[in-house]
DNA sequence: CGGAATCCTCAACGATACTG
DNA sequence: CAGTATCGTTGAGGATTCCG
């Protein structure tokens, strides 16, 4: 990245900044401990059931998985599909907004990866 | 974004995933409350003094500003330049890694912005 | 199977005061 | 000017148990 590109980006940020910072807003939505893992394993295998997802993630508790799913649903990053049967059958699906988020994370993935490699 | 692009990204993530997830790694570095604001105001005006930066951010305490600055320095996102004089004169400067991070946030900025607009 | 309810712990953060 | 030191608070997250 050139200095000039950076300055253009700064200018763009400045001119397009709404009252509340969109980055902080995004971080609030995806910043809690299990949000990224949930989105991640749903990305790898969309439409997983609750317990399937729980096994994929591994160490998450019911409390936190439920809480994360509810919040992500409320923010429109995923959808909950229930069949309403007994026993229950519920699957979770990324929305376009959710997929866009994952896609958006590509650059941060690269940034973190190169920093990891630099630090060891 | 098309479904095909998304799937290519998923494939890429999968094939390039190191033992520890780079996104979680990044979030750990910049996820605490004041990291983004500190980087942000340093981006808007690089080379600010400690108290200048404190006034820019506004509501941050000494404790948290110092802690954030130390950690960001340790992770190589900014540099601390001290003149070693009395009274002290210290300025803070983004490194290339730090500038790259800010630049990288562009997509997340857009994602959050469009979600904000959608939600009200 | 897919959760809900409760209780508990600890670390992040804040408030305040002080200093070379 | 550029921080430290100390203490108090709060809420995110964990552990456990129970339920239709």
């Amino acid at each position: 990245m050139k200095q000039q590109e950076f300055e253009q980006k700064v200018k763009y940020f400045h001119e397009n900044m709404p009252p509340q910072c969109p980055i902080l807003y995004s971080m609030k939505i995806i910043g809690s401990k299990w949000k990224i893992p949930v989105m991640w394993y749903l990305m790898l295998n969309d439409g997983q059931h609750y317990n399937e997802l729980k096994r994929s993630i591994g160490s998450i508790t019911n409390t936190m998985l439920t809480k994360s799913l509810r919040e992500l649903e409320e923010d429109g990053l995923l959808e909950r599909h229930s069949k309403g049967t007994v026993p229950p059958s519920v699957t979770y699906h990324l929305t376009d907004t959710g997929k866009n988020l994952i896609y958006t994370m590509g650059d941060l993935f690269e940034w973190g990866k190169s920093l990891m490699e630099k630090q060891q």
Side-chain angles (χ1 to χ4, degrees), chain A residues 11-72:
Chain A
K11 187 156 177 281
Y12 174 83
F13 280 144
H14 220 166
E15 288 170 355
N16 291 276
M17 179 61 82
Q20 190 193 0
C21 171
I23 297 180
L24 294 180
Y25 181 80
S26 301
M27 302 276 289
K28 228 180 149 185
I29 291 178
I30 58 165
S32 68
K33 184 169 179 184
W34 297 102
K35 294 290 180 68
I36 295 290
V38 166
M39 296 296 286
W40 187 264
Y41 286 101
L42 217 49
M43 169 196 82
L44 292 182
N45 191 5
D46 202 40
Q48 288 185 74
H49 289 255
Y50 181 92
N51 280 319
E52 236 177 333
L53 198 48
K54 197 187 166 194
R55 275 189 299 275
S56 302
I57 301 174
S59 48
I60 194 171
T61 61
N62 282 335
T63 321
M64 290 315 295
L65 179 53
T66 301
K67 187 160 183 283
S68 301
L69 287 170
R70 292 285 179 273
E71 292 174 3
L72 289 169

